[in-house]
Amino acid sequence: MSTQPSVRYEPVIGLEIHVQLKTRTKMFCGCELGFGEPPNTRTCPVCLGLPGALPVANAEAIHLGLMIGLALGCDLAPRSIFHRKNYFYPDLPKGYQISQYDQPLCSGGELGGVRITRVHLEDDAAKTIHAGSSGRIHGSSHSVVDFNRGGTPLAEIVTEPDVESAEQAGEFLRLLRTTLKALGVSDVDMSQGSLRCDANISIRPVGQTELGTKTELKNMNSFRFIEQGIRAEIARQEALLRAGETVEQETLHFDPQTGALTSMRSKEEAHDYRYFPEPDLTPITITPEMLERARAALPELPAARAERFEALGLHPDTAKLLAWRPELGDYFEEAVAAAGDGADVVAIANLLANELLQRLDAEADPADSKVTAPALAQLVGLVAAKAVTGAGAKQVLDVLVAQGGDPAAIVEAQGLGAVGGEDALVPVVQAALAANPDIAERLKGGDMKPMGVIIGFVMKETKGRADGKEVTKIVRSTLGL
Ligand code: ADP
Ligand code: ZN
Ligand code: MG
């Protein structure tokens, strides 16, 4: 086959996300969830898979599943059932995972423009710890299993293959994480494994409707690594197709240290899970009361909050930034409330997003800084009242970040008040023109390009406390233009 360098390819990506639900007890038994307890202290015959032990579905996990379904706009099944997904692994003592198959709790839905295929409930496997050669038992390397995690409730969220780039995958996952966090259904901590993501990736020539062969990138533990892994896999597939080769369906591991993609398992080694309905559990039936309880528990979600902020006039990126990081949204709303009626909410949002956040650590909560929300609001009010210029406001903010305080008092104490009005500015403009006679001539002749030189002079003289537009006006009137 010849290579086709002119063909353009587009990525097609579908995501599968596992979320550990924040219930008190496990999915099918009364053991409390274990985090950091001594190994194998949170177990019972059910989650150890002992013969004859009977599971009972956790009502709170179903409630949290319904909340997720409602938040993602899914159809909620009035009746859904559990299936056994059979496979062997040391961390799965039952020999099967209890999951949902053809009748999941939630189907359909959408988040941030990505369609949701389904959301279903299942139990987590236990944790295998590979002790390697450093932890020898009887002189050999070994693995050990901690069953505390076994049986933790999981919601699996599956998307349609609607994602078109690594960046979009990252953006979707960030929105999903903040949404789940707002719902309070999970800790959503990737490094702790309470949020885990697999990415299914294929590429196809632009214009082709048929999907290409996909590979699956397993369990990356940060959004950044997921994006890097997806980018690397798209590049690998494209190189294969350009060389006239084919993509093999397989499961891959991405090593963020080296950037290497290694095969974990090929199509031939794929599991045959022999799904069948779980005979020990009754179907989940959703009553109107259960639905009502889930609905009543829904908070305002980040996507809706971003829309509300946009409707106030905020730039979409700013609205998203403030809404997706709830602590920023809360700080913004506190500042708006402090500013009172008629406040310039866009200016408050911009000063927060573009200036204050630049002066704090990346993930810092401004509420923990020395700049109170009312102080930020007051500073915006001083700019609106022309008591201080935009440039002056930035200097005030520097002081606020360093030592806190009252913006008006800082303007006063540091002499940062705006220099305005003809009395104050005409002499400075005259000095600027006198110091730059050639430029004064060009301006008089109608060439406005060097206006900046005059403004620069005035700004220097007033330490940035003049307003550029006002200076321009005074230059024009002084020159009789
Ligand atoms: P499997 O049977 O291999 O698990 P599914 O049909 O259940 O595959 O899909 C799993 C995930 O893979 C879903 O998120 C789906 O959107 C995505 N997906 C399916 N086919 C493709 C493809 N050709 N390219 C990219 N993603 C795909
Ligand atoms: Zn148990
Ligand atoms: Mg699947």
Side-chain angles (χ1 to χ4, degrees), residues 6-290:
S6 61
V7 177
R8 282 198 306 122
Y9 292 97
E10 62 182 12
V12 175
I13 302 159
L15 302 168
E16 296 172 285
I17 301 100
H18 286 91
V19 188
Q20 281 184 345
L21 298 176
K22 225 160 109 179
T23 51
R24 189 177 64 80
T25 56
K26 292 185 179 180
M27 186 67 220
F28 298 114
C29 64
C31 292
E32 287 190 22
L33 299 191
F35 297 103
E37 282 82 14
N40 298 308
T41 54
R42 297 282 165 103
T43 63
C44 73
V46 173
C47 58
L48 287 175
L50 301 187
L54 288 174
V56 178
N58 183 332
E60 187 61 12
I62 295 169
H63 170 65
L64 299 182
L66 290 176
M67 286 176 67
I68 295 173
L70 287 169
L72 303 182
C74 305
D75 293 327
L76 307 179
R79 179 184 186 277
S80 66
I81 63 171
F82 288 105
H83 268 69
R84 287 189 185 179
K85 180 180 182 180
N86 298 280
Y87 66 97
F88 173 79
Y89 204 74
D91 62 18
L92 192 72
K94 302 193 296 299
Y96 54 85
Q97 179 186 30
I98 304 178
S99 183
Q100 296 195 287
Y101 185 52
D102 54 358
Q103 297 178 49
L105 185 67
C106 321
S107 349
E110 181 270 342
L111 182 73
V114 175
R115 286 172 301 156
I116 305 296
T117 311
R118 56 190 275 145
V119 180
H120 69 250
L121 297 174
E122 58 190 28
D123 59 353
D124 206 350
K127 196 169 191 164
T128 307
I129 297 146
H130 301 289
S133 51
S134 62
R136 281 163 187 277
I137 292 177
H138 305 309
S140 63
S141 71
H142 65 284
S143 297
V144 291
V145 184
D146 177 6
F147 287 95
N148 286 358
R149 193 182 81 171
T152 299
L154 292 180
E156 178 173 346
I157 301 165
V158 183
T159 79
E160 292 291 304
D162 283 352
V163 177
E164 295 171 354
S165 67
E167 297 70 39
Q168 195 193 349
E171 166 134 338
F172 170 82
L173 290 169
R174 285 182 182 89
L175 176 57
L176 180 64
R177 178 173 62 180
T178 188
T179 301
L180 295 168
K181 200 163 186 181
L183 290 171
V185 297
S186 171
D187 290 333
V188 292
D189 184 337
M190 295 200 78
S191 63
Q192 299 287 319
S194 53
L195 181 71
R196 318 199 280 266
C197 177
D198 305 334
N200 298 271
I201 302 157
S202 66
I203 62 171
R204 63 181 169 191
V206 173
Q208 177 182 305
T209 47
E210 206 180 306
L211 295 177
T213 302
K214 73 172 162 76
T215 58
E216 185 170 1
L217 279 190
K218 271 285 178 206
N219 265 338
M220 289 154 291
N221 58 8
S222 85
F223 290 153
R224 205 161 52 84
F225 294 161
I226 290 173
E227 289 185 37
Q228 285 174 9
I230 291 174
R231 244 178 250 123
E233 176 54 9
I234 291 169
R236 189 191 68 92
Q237 291 188 14
E238 187 165 336
L240 280 174
L241 296 191
R242 289 210 187 282
E245 294 174 40
T246 54
V247 173
E248 299 286 337
Q249 187 176 326
E250 60 188 338
T251 304
L252 299 167
H253 170 77
F254 174 69
D255 181 349
Q257 302 281 289
T258 61
L261 291 153
T262 47
S263 182
M264 294 168 70
R265 137 167 44 101
S266 72
K267 192 183 178 183
E268 286 71 37
E269 299 163 275
H271 296 292
D272 172 4
Y273 292 119
R274 295 170 292 116
Y275 280 99
F276 67 86
E278 165 61 67
D280 291 339
L281 285 163
T282 54
I284 305 176
T285 46
I286 304 303
T287 63
E289 292 73 34
M290 289 163 79

Side-chain angles (χ1 to χ4, degrees), residues 255-446:
D255 181 349
Q257 302 281 289
T258 61
L261 291 153
T262 47
S263 182
M264 294 168 70
R265 137 167 44 101
S266 72
K267 192 183 178 183
E268 286 71 37
E269 299 163 275
H271 296 292
D272 172 4
Y273 292 119
R274 295 170 292 116
Y275 280 99
F276 67 86
E278 165 61 67
D280 291 339
L281 285 163
T282 54
I284 305 176
T285 46
I286 304 303
T287 63
E289 292 73 34
M290 289 163 79
L291 266 184
E292 194 32 57
R293 187 175 157 238
R295 223 171 250 130
L298 292 187
E300 183 186 31
L301 297 173
R305 197 179 199 190
E307 275 178 34
R308 188 162 60 78
F309 287 171
E310 252 192 80
L312 294 174
L314 270 57
H315 187 280
D317 290 343
T318 310
K320 241 187 241 180
L321 173 73
L322 301 187
W324 291 17
R325 280 180 57 190
E327 72 281 9
L328 300 187
D330 293 348
Y331 184 94
F332 167 63
E333 294 196 294
E334 192 192 336
V336 168
D341 289 343
D344 187 344
V345 295
V346 175
I348 291 174
N350 290 343
L351 193 64
L352 167 58
N354 303 335
E355 299 299 334
L356 177 53
L357 290 187
Q358 305 305 316
R359 289 164 169 76
L360 305 177
D361 291 335
E363 295 298 315
D365 179 351
D368 297 334
S369 78
K370 293 190 170 134
V371 190
T372 65
L376 189 86
Q378 197 196 51
L379 182 52
V380 169
L382 291 174
V383 176
K386 293 201 187 313
V388 64
T389 62
K394 290 179 192 178
Q395 291 171 262
V396 175
L397 202 53
D398 288 336
V399 178
L400 283 172
V401 168
Q403 59 197 47
D406 174 72
I410 292 169
V411 169
E412 187 65 36
Q414 312 238 344
L416 293 169
V419 177
E422 304 218 335
D423 287 354
L425 284 179
V426 168
V428 191
V429 166
Q430 278 170 345
L433 291 170
N436 297 279
D438 47 332
I439 284 174
E441 278 310 308
R442 282 172 65 188
L443 291 171
K444 256 189 244 171

Side-chain angles (χ1 to χ4, degrees), residues 422 426 429 470-481:
E422 304 218 335
V426 168
V429 166
E470 193 182 7
V471 173
T472 304
K473 235 168 73 191
I474 289 174
V475 171
R476 284 174 169 274
S477 62
T478 305
L479 295 174
L481 296 169

